[in-house]
Amino acid sequence: MKKSNRLTVFIFVAMVLGISLGYIINVIYAGPENEATVQKFAGNISILTDIFLRLIKMIIAPLVFSTLVVGVAKLGDIKAVGRIGGKTMLWFVTATFISLFLGLILVNLLHPGSTLNLTIPDANASSGIATTDMSLKGFFHHVFPDSVIDAMAHNEILQIVVFSIFFGVATAAIGDMGQIVIKFMDSVAHIMLKLTGYVMNFAPFAVFGAMAATIAEKGPGILLTYGKFIGQFYIGLSALWIVLIFAGFLVLGRRILSLLGLIKDPVLLAFSTASSEAAYPRTLEGLEKFGCDQRIVSFVLPLGYSFNLDGSMMYMTFASLFIAQAYGMHLGFEQQISMLLVLMITSKGIAGVPRASLVVIAGTLSMFHIPEAGLLLLLGVDHFLDMGRSATNVIGNAMATAVVSKWENSLEEESKAA
């Protein structure tokens, strides 16, 4: 059995065992008098997940910086960077619009919140989620770093990308003197990928801890309570997967099946840990095995983690209108289109913001006078929703990178890639 297939099996087994253990703990310690015991168990078992995610975050900044500098420097000039960047942003903006619009259509067809019939709360009621600065000034503060060291310390991927592009272009511009830097960065990138392989061996333990903690604390009952909403959201994600895969098929042809096979591990990892970031290193490796140009992978993939979170985009319109429906508030077609356009802009300025989707939704609700306290409806099941969002984000970014490689005539033939 191949090493990648073994990891898939181990992760799946870990999910099953984690869910089983979580269910047993939830049943044994049922009742409010045992709530502290269950929370203590969840806190202790989730240490496994915390360790893994911290190790992944340890890798991200040097991996993004080294691979992107090498990729940009090897592109040769600012014109090539601009050309590839333009094609990349064209795909990102189109995918964002489709994701938001699909969420809007599905929530209007399925009406997941209409059966709740909630009373509109007091105007001062809050969800407890702080909104962020979504102004034009706030957007640019998120994009451009005032200290690259600070950006790396906080894993601000978009800011690292901006600095890396400048650094890579400058390295290419000085000619032969820059070759030693390119070789050094290339070595660093390969070291980080080797280190990633070591860290990934811990992934099944992280998945086990995440599943056990979530099921023990929330219980399987919460899936029944919110079953309709969760089920309909996953129907929406399935529709988005079909759209993304079909769009990829139009460009890549039958090779789309090979791509899906190569990214199954990072997709499963993102789903089980509810973290797109955890899947980044393996996604990068899978795309290079598929035959994508290393320079383009190093350029497009980090940008995608800030500008192309398709699963999160669909969730924003779906969740916002779900809350409006729950309170019996009708938003007209013009208002819904306005919400879509607002989300297209504001969602691009939240790179590095914790629980970014919920933060943007909180700000959007207040703009359209929808009770912000409605977010409390989602908090209990947000982990289960985030699992699907994270997996979809990986699919969307892999498709974007492969398509841009094809557009640039930089995708190896299948025989060579194999």
Side-chain angles (χ1 to χ4, degrees):
M1 185 184 291
K2 291 183 178 179
K3 187 175 181 180
S4 61
N5 291 335
R6 284 203 304 270
L7 182 63
T8 302
V9 171
F10 289 153
I11 289 175
F12 181 78
V13 171
M15 286 179 64
V16 174
L17 292 176
I19 291 170
S20 301
L21 177 61
Y23 177 74
I24 291 170
I25 295 296
N26 184 263
V27 170
I28 292 175
Y29 294 102
E33 68 278 5
N34 295 315
E35 185 175 346
T37 304
V38 172
Q39 288 182 346
K40 184 178 180 180
F41 167 82
N44 289 336
I45 198 72
S46 64
I47 291 174
L48 295 171
T49 308
D50 293 341
I51 291 172
F52 176 73
L53 293 179
R54 289 176 74 89
L55 290 173
I56 287 292
K57 288 178 179 179
M58 172 187 75
I59 294 169
I60 291 295
L63 181 60
V64 170
F65 178 63
S66 59
T67 54
L68 188 51
V69 167
V70 172
V72 171
K74 287 183 177 179
L75 287 175
D77 56 47
I78 194 68
K79 290 182 180 179
V81 174
R83 185 185 69 249
I84 296 171
K87 292 177 180 179
T88 300
M89 293 310 297
L90 174 64
W91 177 276
F92 287 174
V93 170
T94 304
T96 295
F97 179 82
I98 291 173
S99 302
L100 289 167
F101 192 64
L102 185 60
L104 186 148
I105 291 173
L106 289 171
V107 80
N108 278 288
L109 288 175
L110 300 174
H111 294 281
S114 58
T115 57
L116 296 180
N117 298 317
L118 300 179
T119 303
I120 295 179
D122 184 87
N124 296 322
S126 172
S127 65
I129 296 175
T131 57
T132 188
D133 183 2
M134 293 188 288
S135 64
L136 185 63
K137 182 178 179 180
F139 170 76
F140 284 110
H141 280 180
H142 280 300
V143 173
F144 297 101
D146 53 7
S147 166
V148 68
I149 304 300
D150 183 68
M152 289 186 174
H154 293 91
N155 272 332
E156 295 276 5
I157 292 181
L158 187 54
Q159 294 183 7
I160 297 171
V161 166
V162 170
F163 177 78
S164 301
I165 290 172
F166 277 105
F167 192 93
V169 170
T171 302
I174 63 174
D176 292 340
M177 292 178 64
Q179 290 302 311
I180 188 172
V181 175
I182 296 173
K183 289 180 181 178
F184 172 73
M185 286 295 177
D186 200 19
S187 297
V188 170
H190 282 87
I191 291 169
M192 296 312 301
L193 289 173
K194 188 67 176 178
L195 179 58
T196 296
Y198 299 150
V199 172
M200 284 301 155
N201 292 327
F202 196 71
F205 298 98
V207 171
F208 173 77
M211 291 294 100
T214 302
I215 297 299
E217 199 168 12
K218 305 294 183 183
I222 196 166
L223 298 178
L224 298 175
T225 304
Y226 286 88
K228 180 180 178 182
F229 175 67
I230 295 172
Q232 291 178 347
F233 177 65
Y234 273 87
I235 289 172
L237 287 181
S238 300
L240 182 55
W241 280 37
I242 292 171
V243 171
L244 291 171
I245 292 171
F246 179 71
F249 172 77
L250 293 178
V251 180
L252 303 172
R254 292 183 178 179
R255 287 196 65 188
I256 194 72
L257 298 177
S258 300
L259 177 61
L260 293 174
L262 287 168
I263 62 171
K264 68 179 186 303
D265 280 352
V267 168
L268 180 59
L269 187 62
F271 178 82
S272 52
T273 60
S275 171
S276 305
E277 205 173 52
Y280 178 91
R282 292 304 291 266
T283 306
L284 189 147
E285 288 182 302
L287 287 165
E288 290 185 1
K289 288 180 182 177
F290 179 66
C292 294
D293 191 320
Q294 181 186 10
R295 300 170 300 173
I296 293 177
V297 175
S298 302
F299 182 81
V300 176
L301 195 59
L303 281 178
Y305 269 67
S306 295
F307 286 111
N308 191 46
L309 302 177
D310 297 327
S312 300
M313 294 301 105
M314 201 194 83
Y315 178 66
M316 288 177 190
T317 44
F318 200 94
S320 299
L321 292 174
F322 164 76
I323 293 170
Q325 290 174 358
Y327 288 114
M329 301 177 67
H330 175 73
L331 297 181
F333 178 75
E334 296 83 1
Q335 290 176 298
Q336 292 189 30
I337 293 298
S338 297
M339 178 182 288
L340 185 151
L341 296 175
V342 165
L343 285 169
M344 278 196 71
I345 297 170
T346 57
S347 62
K348 303 307 179 192
I350 44 79
V353 177
R355 306 180 84 176
S357 297
L358 293 176
V359 169
V360 174
I361 292 169
T364 304
L365 293 178
S366 62
M367 289 180 65
F368 290 87
H369 307 293
I370 301 169
E372 183 191 319
L375 274 176
L376 295 171
L377 297 171
L378 305 176
L379 290 180
V381 291
D382 187 64
H383 179 84
F384 300 102
L385 304 173
D386 201 17
M387 293 166 68
R389 296 198 302 263
S390 299
T392 305
N393 294 340
V394 174
I395 291 275
N397 284 322
M399 291 295 167
T401 307
V403 166
V404 172
S405 293
K406 181 70 173 180
W407 284 346
E408 282 290 303
N409 297 315
S410 298
L411 187 63
E412 292 183 17
E413 296 297 327
E414 191 160 13
S415 57
K416 295 180 182 179

